[in-house]
């Protein structure tokens, strides 16, 4: 195949881009660790997918290719993304893992316009380039001095996907600036409507809203150029990171966009600084790396370690606060990914450790955050609004099973039981809820009404009085209180 | 030491195809996208369009009042419709047509002409008597036609 002739400077721009392995490793760790967090956070939003049998994909043609998404499907997709995110952050995986991640993310993003976050669109592009990055383990350096010039040249030629990622940022900054060339932006009106953080509003008042609007455009246009000029990278980092952190703390609802941008700026870090970091990390973790290498070389041990890790992961996954079918599907997919990578890369002990860490992190995250609570809450809430009370009851029953200390879950479940005349079960839920939150008005009122119906005067009066402490003029509670007081209580 | 690195044909094709996609998607928004409220793939971060409010009202059969959309679609879709995204509103209307065969589904979409003009009086966006655009509100849909027959806004 003959090469196409472009001006030398243009060829150099793409083909002679240099990036150190230390920088790539640092970027990979930070990027995919954040990616895993982002995927974990998405699990809470899985119930919206396919709700009411309605969906619109990002491109009409995809309607014929992609299936109707469902909440179970999306939990598995996001769970697998989170799992792979941790595996990729740790490194040592095959290129196939990067490609699977890019495909999995594209599927999860383009399947529905429910996810129209700009940073997820950016990620879908970035992952394609990242899959082609010259990852150190996948592009071993040459050992022959005689071969250095050719190998260096070849290595540099492989770096163009890194340059491509930076170019995609320039394109993004350019169009972001173009979109702001609008009278409503230029006079500061749009900024006034979008910014909610007090400190930022004060700053804009001080500088001038229109000045701030112009400065934003100027910064975006400057960044478009600066990130392509190596000598100006320190300036690009200063402007870019400050701007994105300012966005983050301005009360804008942009998910983890700013953090992803800050991590991409790691690719602009000066090499001497990275060498210092590497000189600290290598002696600290070099021993561990050597031990792992020795363990990997022993094939029987590697197989054994991997088999044990799969067995432990199986057990740990059962702790996920999800239905059994969902757990088993997720387990099947992560096990297939782990086994495929193990067979492709042949780093048994490392693969075993990474598989365990990725599985543990998923379970730990779902147990230590509100993601699962929100998942059941959003699911139950939607079913309730749609009038599917039996489905809403199933969702809230799961919620209180997995989060028995969430008072509002008991209240919602109690309300749903009341709607279908299951008053005894409703009362039981209100009692559970009141044990956790004794001064909740709605629960006290609902419990008072049910006790009143059952003729349990003391309990009805106690709940009514507690409710009246919060809302003194509630007529229903006053009636109940007066009734039982008249009856001598 | 700088070592000249030529651009091999395969890499060259990949780079330029990717570059074209990166640039053409946002250019498409400005050049030929009829729905200016659909800002996906255009990198229009914090644009004035993003903060404009819209209302999407659906009337099924002879009902004089618009349906409660949250009973028929997830709230997240209702939120997207309230940004005036035509593709989603049309899909919602089509879904209502499919769920109610032989019944007319009429759609009314109204949007602010510029951000914040309906902030003081949100009822402006939901005024069913508004038959055409005013100085503050734009009637995006063609009026109260039967969507199941016309198939578009």
């Amino acid at each position: 195949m003959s090469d196409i002739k472009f001006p030398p400077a243009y060829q150099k721009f793409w083909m002679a881009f240099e990036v150190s392995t230390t920088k790539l490793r640092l970027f990979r760790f930070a990027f995919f660790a954040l990616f895993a967090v982002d995927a974990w956070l998405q699990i809470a939003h899985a119930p919206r997918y396919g709700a009411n049998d309605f969906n619109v994909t990002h491109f009409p043609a995809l309607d014929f290719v992609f299936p109707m998404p469902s909440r179970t499907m999306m939990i598995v997709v996001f769970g697998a993304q989170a799992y792979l995110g941790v595996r990729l952050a740790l490194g040592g995986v095959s290129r196939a893992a990067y490609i699977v991640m890019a495909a999995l993310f594209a599927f999860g993003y383009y399947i529905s316009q429910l996810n129209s976050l700009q940073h997820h669109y950016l990620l879908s592009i970035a992952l394609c380039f990242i899959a082609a990055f010259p990852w150190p383990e996948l592009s071993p350096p040459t050992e022959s001095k005689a071969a250095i010039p050719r190998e260096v040249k070849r290595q540099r030629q492989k770096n163009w996907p890194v340059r491509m990622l930076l170019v995609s940022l320039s394109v993004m900054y350019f169009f972001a600036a173009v979109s702001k060339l609008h009278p409503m932006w230029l006079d500061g009106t749009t900024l006034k409507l979008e910014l909610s953080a007090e400190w930022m509003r004060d700053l804009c008042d001080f500088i001038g809203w229109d000045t701030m609007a112009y400065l934003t455009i100027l910064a975006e246009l400057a960044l478009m150029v600066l990130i392509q000029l190596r000598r100006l990278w320190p300036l690009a980092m200063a402007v870019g990171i400050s701007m994105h952190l300012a966005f983050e703390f301005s009360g804008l609802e942009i998910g983890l966009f700013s953090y992803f941008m800050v991590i991409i700026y790691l690719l602009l870090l000066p090499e001497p600084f990275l060498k210092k970091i590497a000189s600290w990390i290598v002696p600290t973790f070099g021993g561990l790396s050597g031990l792992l290498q020795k363990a990997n070389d022993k094939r029987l041990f590697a197989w054994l370690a991997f088999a044990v890790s799969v067995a432990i992961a199986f057990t740990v996954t059962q702790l996920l606060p999800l239905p059994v079918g969902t757990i088993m599907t997720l387990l099947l997919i992560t096990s297939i990914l782990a086994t495929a990578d193990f067979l492709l890369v042949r780093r048994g002990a490392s693969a075993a450790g990474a598989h365990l860490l990725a599985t543990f992190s998923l379970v730990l995250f779902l147990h230590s955050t509100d993601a699962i609570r929100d998942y059941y809450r959003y699911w139950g809430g939607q079913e309730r609004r749609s009038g599917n009370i039996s489905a809403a009851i199933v969702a809230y029953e799961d919620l209180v099973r997995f989060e028995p200390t969430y008072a509002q879950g008991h209240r919602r479940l109690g309300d749903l039981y009341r709607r279908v005349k299951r008053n005894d079960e409703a009362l039981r839920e209100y009692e559970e809820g009141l044990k956790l939150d004794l001064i909740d008005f709605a629960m006290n009122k609902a419990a008072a009404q049910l006790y009143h119906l059952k003729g349990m005067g003391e309990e009805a009066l106690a709940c009514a009085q507690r409710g009246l402490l919060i809302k003194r003029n509630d007529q229903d509670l006053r009636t109940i209180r007066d009734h039982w007081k008249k009856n001598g209580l | 030491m700088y070592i000249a690195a030529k651009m091999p044909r395969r890499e060259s094709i990949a780079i330029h195809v990717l570059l074209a996609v990166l640039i053409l998607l946002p250019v498409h928004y400005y050049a030929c996208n009829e729905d200016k409220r659909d800002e996906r793939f255009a990198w229009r971060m914090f644009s004035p369009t993003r903060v404009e409010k819209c209302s999407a009202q659906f009337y099924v059969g002879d009902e004089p009042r618009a349906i409660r959309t949250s009973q028929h679609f997830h709230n997240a879709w209702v939120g997207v419709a309230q940004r005036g995204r035509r593709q989603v509103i049309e899909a919602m209307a089509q879904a209502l047509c499919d769920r109610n065969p032989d019944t007319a589904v009429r759609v009314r979409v109204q949007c602010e002409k510029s951000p914040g003009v309906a902030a003081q009086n949100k009822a402006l966006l939901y005024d069913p008597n508004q038959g055409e655009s005013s100085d503050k509100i734009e009637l995006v849909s063609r009026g109260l036609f039967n969507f199941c027959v016309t198939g578009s806004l």
Side-chain angles (χ1 to χ4, degrees):
Chain A
M1 247 194 274
S2 63
D3 295 348
I4 299 173
K5 284 183 182 171
F6 287 103
Y10 185 71
Q11 295 196 41
K12 185 185 166 190
F13 177 79
W14 289 105
M15 292 292 141
F17 185 77
E18 289 183 37
V19 57
S20 69
T21 55
T22 311
K23 189 183 276 186
L24 284 179
R25 284 194 168 109
L26 176 68
F27 167 76
R28 178 173 61 190
F29 178 77
F31 181 86
F32 283 109
L34 185 64
F35 188 95
V37 173
D38 200 30
W40 287 328
L41 293 172
Q42 288 299 307
I43 286 176
H45 300 293
R48 59 170 67 169
Y49 290 87
N52 301 92
D53 291 323
F54 180 77
N55 185 54
V56 187
T57 57
H58 275 285
F59 300 106
L62 295 179
D63 286 331
F64 303 103
V65 182
F66 286 168
M68 171 68 81
S70 68
R71 70 171 187 279
T72 306
M73 179 204 285
M74 297 314 289
I75 282 192
V76 173
V77 168
F78 296 138
Q81 284 177 10
Y83 169 85
L84 264 181
V86 176
R87 292 293 310 265
L88 295 176
L90 296 171
V93 292
S94 64
R95 185 157 319 269
Y98 294 95
I99 295 169
V100 169
M101 176 61 120
L104 199 59
F105 187 83
F107 177 77
Y109 176 72
Y110 291 104
I111 198 169
S112 180
Q113 289 193 30
L114 281 175
N115 186 351
S116 298
L117 292 169
Q118 297 268 0
H119 81 278
H120 282 169
Y121 172 49
L122 178 67
L123 285 184
S124 75
I125 294 170
L127 283 169
C128 295
F129 303 145
I130 287 170
F133 268 22
W135 296 113
E137 310 86 356
L138 306 174
S139 315
T142 176
E143 289 172 8
S144 161
K145 281 186 180 176
I148 281 176
R150 182 183 289 178
E151 288 305 320
V152 169
K153 180 180 162 189
R154 195 175 293 165
Q155 187 59 44
R156 284 174 173 175
Q157 284 182 345
K158 288 177 184 168
N159 290 348
W160 69 264
V162 187
R163 172 67 86 180
M164 198 76 208
L165 178 60
L166 297 182
V167 168
S168 63
L169 290 194
S170 286
V171 171
M172 182 191 80
Y173 281 129
F174 172 73
F175 283 104
V178 167
S179 74
K180 294 182 177 71
L181 300 176
H182 184 287
M184 298 291 284
W185 176 271
L186 297 174
D187 67 7
T189 307
T190 310
L191 261 181
K192 276 184 190 166
L193 288 168
E194 300 212 38
L195 294 181
S196 59
E198 209 53 46
W199 74 272
M200 197 59 169
R201 295 189 73 86
D202 290 344
L203 184 67
C204 290
D205 278 335
F206 179 71
I207 296 177
W209 289 89
D210 52 346
T211 311
M212 194 57 123
Y214 276 100
L215 279 176
T216 309
I217 295 174
L218 189 67
E220 286 174 339
L221 289 174
L223 285 170
M224 174 188 82
V225 178
L226 291 176
I227 56 175
Q228 303 305 336
L229 303 173
R230 184 178 289 267
R231 285 182 188 172
L232 297 175
W233 278 358
L235 183 59
M237 288 187 78
V239 175
I241 292 175
S242 321
M243 185 177 83
H244 287 292
L245 288 181
F247 286 161
E248 179 58 32
F249 298 109
S250 296
L252 301 163
E253 291 177 10
I254 50 174
L256 300 178
F257 180 73
S258 312
Y259 298 109
F260 273 109
M261 290 307 297
V262 169
I263 284 171
I264 292 176
Y265 274 96
L266 292 180
L267 288 171
L268 311 188
L269 273 174
E271 293 295 342
F273 174 72
L274 282 165
K275 275 181 187 165
K276 271 191 182 172
I277 294 181
S279 67
W280 173 76
I281 288 175
V282 171
T284 311
F285 296 104
L288 178 66
S289 172
L291 270 178
L292 272 176
Q293 190 55 51
K294 277 182 190 169
N296 286 335
D297 292 342
K298 293 178 181 168
R299 298 307 303 157
L300 183 62
F301 178 77
W303 274 96
L304 202 62
F306 185 70
V308 170
S309 77
V310 170
I312 295 174
F314 179 87
T315 315
V316 169
T317 311
Q318 306 306 314
L319 299 173
L320 281 171
L322 291 167
V324 177
T326 312
I327 290 177
M328 296 314 282
T329 315
L330 189 57
L331 188 64
L332 180 71
I333 289 182
T334 53
S335 302
I336 289 172
L337 290 171
T339 310
D341 194 66
F342 170 72
L343 294 173
L344 280 170
V345 180
R346 299 203 160 264
R347 288 192 184 94
S350 311
H355 179 50
L356 275 183
L357 194 62
T359 309
F360 268 107
S361 61
L362 181 61
V363 176
L364 272 177
F365 182 86
L366 292 183
H367 274 287
S368 58
T369 66
D370 293 339
I372 281 295
R373 171 195 296 180
D374 290 343
Y375 166 78
Y376 287 112
R377 209 161 50 84
Y378 295 160
W379 171 24
Q382 175 57 27
E383 298 291 3
R384 181 174 48 80
R385 281 188 294 276
S386 303
N388 303 324
I389 302 301
S390 54
I393 287 176
V394 171
Y396 276 103
E397 282 176 343
D398 279 349
L399 172 59
V400 299
R401 183 157 58 95
F402 292 123
E403 287 248 6
T405 57
Y406 180 50
Q408 290 305 309
H410 292 285
R411 177 173 83 80
R412 289 284 186 198
L413 183 56
D415 292 346
L416 290 166
Y417 281 144
R418 273 184 89 183
R419 281 177 73 167
V420 291
K421 313 281 184 223
R422 290 161 67 176
N423 286 350
D424 288 342
E425 286 155 292
L427 194 53
R428 190 190 62 214
E429 292 306 324
Y430 293 136
E431 284 169 350
E432 287 298 317
L434 285 170
K435 281 181 197 167
L436 299 161
D437 187 1
L438 195 59
I439 55 163
D440 182 278
F441 172 77
M443 265 194 292
N444 274 304
K445 181 172 177 175
Q449 288 171 326
L450 287 180
Y451 282 130
H452 180 69
L453 274 178
K454 286 169 77 84
M456 298 166 73
E458 278 185 29
E459 290 84 351
L461 185 60
C463 288
Q465 283 176 331
R466 272 200 302 271
L468 285 167
L469 286 176
I470 304 156
K471 278 192 186 174
R472 274 194 294 175
N473 296 324
D474 189 275
Q475 203 51 50
D476 295 335
L477 290 181
R478 281 184 161 200
T479 309
I480 293 171
R481 182 193 62 186
D482 296 345
H483 172 84
W484 290 107
K485 280 201 167 174
K486 274 183 197 165
N487 283 279
L489 285 178
Chain B
M1 177 181 65
Y2 167 64
I3 299 157
K6 281 187 182 173
M7 197 183 257
R9 179 179 287 268
R10 203 175 58 175
E11 275 81 352
S12 166
I13 291 171
I15 286 168
H16 293 102
V17 166
L18 290 169
L19 207 51
V21 172
L22 278 178
I23 294 169
L24 287 178
L25 271 171
V27 165
H28 171 264
Y29 172 85
Y30 295 97
C32 45
N33 191 354
E34 287 180 4
D35 183 7
K36 294 298 175 205
R37 288 188 175 81
D38 183 357
E39 299 182 304
R40 292 170 300 143
F41 318 124
W43 300 123
R44 291 175 55 83
M45 274 88 124
F46 320 125
S47 79
T49 313
R50 173 74 175 76
V51 282
E52 284 172 11
K53 300 277 185 295
C54 294
S55 70
Q57 295 165 284
F58 302 90
Y59 299 80
V60 177
D62 297 328
E63 285 293 316
R65 295 184 66 170
I67 60 164
R68 279 183 66 184
T69 40
S70 61
Q71 283 182 345
H72 301 265
F73 303 99
H74 194 281
N75 267 350
W77 286 116
V78 177
V80 177
Q82 284 171 348
R83 285 191 207 150
R85 198 179 294 172
R86 181 183 290 261
Q87 198 186 339
V88 170
I89 295 170
E90 288 183 343
M92 290 166 89
Q94 189 57 53
L96 289 170
C97 290
D98 295 343
R99 290 174 198 173
N100 302 281
D102 305 323
T103 309
V105 173
R106 293 162 296 144
V107 190
R108 182 200 300 275
V109 183
Q110 297 178 132
C111 293
E112 291 178 317
K113 275 193 167 171
S114 53
V117 295
Q120 299 300 321
N121 185 6
K122 283 184 181 165
L124 276 177
L125 278 174
Y126 294 90
D127 181 6
N129 299 318
Q130 190 156 314
E132 54 191 37
S133 299
S134 65
D135 57 334
K136 288 184 175 176
I137 302 297
E138 177 192 359
L139 184 67
V140 178
S141 55
R142 285 189 285 177
L144 281 172
F145 292 98
N146 181 2
F147 182 88
C148 306
V149 174
T150 60
S152 73
L153 294 177

